[in-house]
Amino acid sequence: MRLHTATVTTLSTLAVLALASCTSSSTPADDPVSSASAPTQQEGKHSPVPELLSSAALSKRLLAESDLGEGYTRKPQQPRPQDDVVVSGCPALEELGGDAAVGDSLDFPRKAKASFTHTGGSDSEVVEELYSDTAAKLSRGVSRIFDAVISCPTYQILVGSTSVDMGTEQMAAPPLGDEQWSQLLTYSVGPQRSVVQQTAIRIANVLVIVSGPPGLVDAHLAQAVDKVQRTR
């Protein structure tokens, strides 16, 4: 079985390893929450994005091939895997359930997504997701998922008949936006192994998530945040 980075690099498929390449709720919060995964809040440091943005407006703020540089090609969106997801060895994720493991808890109606592959190969792919909702709902939605994952250094998920061993590590996020979360996920299926960094930045009422190999996330995260702030 070959692991493809793009199939595992978004919170939409957080615990799935997007076995599409191998086999095939709104957030109830009205108040801000603090999170061990998001230790700093810097309201007002950057230009605000005060209004809730539509999906069309978010799409205009996504990175494009011209932003990323030579060697990047935008990929068509892949259908979400339909296999049942079962989590074991992580009580916090088990409590959220399989739907949360595949991102239903971040099913905000205002959203946009772009996936890119680099000439470096199938393990050189980067994914950007944008969401818009109230700051409180965005904060809670991301925090509950990141905190649940980070609470378990190792656990397993079963997607259909495929068992995936997971390893997680909390990372320091750069001081961008108003709240930050970052983690390193290691997916193993037999001898195949893939490492994905996921970093989320909240800028007022917009959430930016960039995922992929750590070097690519570090290279393009600030670009993604800047484009959200300056595009109108």
Side-chain angles (χ1 to χ4, degrees):
M1 179 184 295
R2 177 66 176 170
L3 300 185
H4 295 285
T5 301
T7 64
V8 296
T9 53
T10 68
L11 278 177
S12 300
T13 51
L14 180 61
V16 181
L17 188 57
L19 300 173
S21 63
C22 300
T23 65
S24 22
S25 94
S26 299
T27 314
D30 294 319
D31 56 330
V33 297
S34 61
S35 166
S37 300
T40 59
Q41 299 189 22
Q42 304 175 41
E43 300 288 352
K45 182 176 180 180
H46 299 278
S47 301
V49 185
E51 73 279 9
L52 298 186
L53 300 180
S54 66
S55 296
L58 290 172
S59 294
K60 295 179 181 178
R61 290 163 166 78
L62 287 168
L63 291 172
E65 292 161 310
S66 58
D67 299 313
L68 297 172
E70 290 188 17
Y72 284 94
T73 302
R74 185 162 179 169
K75 297 184 62 178
Q77 295 301 314
Q78 300 296 319
R80 172 179 155 179
Q82 298 300 310
D83 299 279
D84 291 335
V85 178
V86 178
V87 183
S88 62
C90 183
L93 274 178
E94 290 177 44
E95 183 177 350
L96 291 179
D99 286 345
V102 295
D104 281 354
S105 58
L106 278 185
D107 192 20
F108 297 112
R110 301 175 181 89
K111 56 189 174 183
K113 176 181 175 181
S115 303
F116 301 89
T117 183
H118 191 262
T119 51
S122 61
D123 290 331
S124 299
E125 301 169 355
V126 62
V127 178
E128 180 189 14
E129 288 181 286
L130 300 179
Y131 298 91
S132 184
D133 212 315
T134 66
K137 289 183 178 180
L138 292 175
S139 180
R140 174 129 184 163
V142 180
S143 293
R144 68 197 297 260
I145 296 294
F146 270 79
D147 289 350
V149 172
I150 292 300
S151 71
C152 303
T154 61
Y155 58 96
Q156 293 78 41
I157 59 174
L158 185 67
V159 183
S161 60
T162 303
S163 178
V164 183
D165 292 320
M166 301 291 302
T168 66
E169 179 183 350
Q170 183 175 336
M171 301 182 65
L176 300 171
D178 302 313
E179 282 188 283
Q180 313 86 24
W181 302 258
S182 191
Q183 61 189 6
L184 199 67
L185 305 176
T186 302
Y187 303 81
S188 300
V189 179
Q192 299 295 331
R193 183 172 177 271
S194 183
V195 177
V196 172
Q197 179 178 332
Q198 294 182 319
T199 301
I201 304 293
R202 183 181 64 79
I203 310 158
N205 294 332
V206 174
L207 179 69
V208 181
I209 301 173
V210 179
S211 310
L216 294 186
V217 174
D218 291 341
H220 300 301
L221 180 65
Q223 286 178 296
V225 171
D226 180 65
K227 191 165 185 177
V228 165
Q229 293 173 318
R230 62 182 167 82
T231 303
R232 292 293 182 266

